[in-house]
Amino acid sequence: MLSIYILTYNEEVDIGPCIKSAMLSDDIMVVDSCSSDRTVEIASCYPVRIVEHAFESHGKQRTWMLDSVTPKYEWVYILEADERMTPELFAECVAATQNPDYIGYYVAERVMFMNHWIRYSTQYPRYQMRLFRHGKVWFTDYGHTEREVCNGTTSFIKETYPHYTCSKGLTRWIEKHNRYSTDEAKETVYQLQKGDVNWQDLFLGKSEVERRRALKDVSLRIPARPLTRFIYTYFFLGGCLDGQAGLAWCTLQAFYEYLILLKVWEMKYSRSQQSAVSSKH
């Protein structure tokens, strides 16, 4: 058996189905970022533990959760409200916990958008650290999301999980990515000033995770990023094979990149203006 954490914020649409999918475990902990909708009310209808904690960042929220909400079992799985656990994935996770050689496992998502699995233009399989031995993994911030720090050897789960990225509608998706783009712009400015590219991981990385992270660092330095991302995802990755949903997905991702670039310019311009004012005084 393993414990399951579910991270939430204003997830009244998804929290019920998410908990139902996770009830293969008898230890489910909902960690809510002080939602203003019916998320907590709905979650309380199920046999779960509910803890509220104000959100600071994705990395800090996960670290606080792991430090402050003690699981019943040694192995834990992190699930977000717009994701689902499947019986096949759960069974493989339980079996994986019996292997003493690994302290954590990466699991790939299946992005569901416009009632369609975006198979090609999402760089599938894209892995995230989801299953691990409690106390052996923690998280740091990177852009709008987080990166894991692992104290031990990790491996990969074959089964995948569905991720309903637009279950609450396009308006919510756009609002969320508007917030994300601010964090990504800050990370872009920092990486361009102080970061570098690990070319060895890009070409010789041992796993998809290492290669994708190196590619991310390269992408920050590519000119015309929005157009480049559209061409890369729609034509090179085969997003055109994902049909109408694929076209919409690739277009939205290009828009997201453009929004990041605009905010990078805004941040640099604001700093230059502040420096000019300071020099006058």
Side-chain angles (χ1 to χ4, degrees), residues 88-143:
E88 296 79 10
L89 173 58
F90 187 82
E92 187 179 351
C93 286
V94 171
T97 63
Q98 305 305 308
N99 191 330
D101 296 334
Y102 304 110
I103 57 90
Y105 293 86
Y106 291 92
V107 187
E109 64 176 348
R110 282 180 283 120
V111 173
M112 310 300 294
F113 179 73
M114 294 178 64
N115 299 319
H116 186 84
W117 174 24
I118 308 299
R119 167 68 176 82
Y120 298 98
S121 48
T122 53
Q123 295 176 294
Y124 176 86
R126 292 180 58 191
Y127 290 94
Q128 310 227 6
M129 173 56 61
R130 290 307 176 92
L131 174 69
F132 52 91
R133 196 186 302 271
H134 187 257
K136 294 294 185 178
V137 176
W138 60 98
F139 296 87
T140 59
D141 292 321
Y142 184 93

Side-chain angles (χ1 to χ4, degrees), residues 31 70 73 82 100 129 166 177 190 229 243 253 268:
V31 181
T70 304
Y73 301 106
D82 57 358
M129 173 56 61
C166 206
H177 282 75
Y190 173 80
R229 181 160 187 173
Q253 294 302 315
K268 289 182 176 179

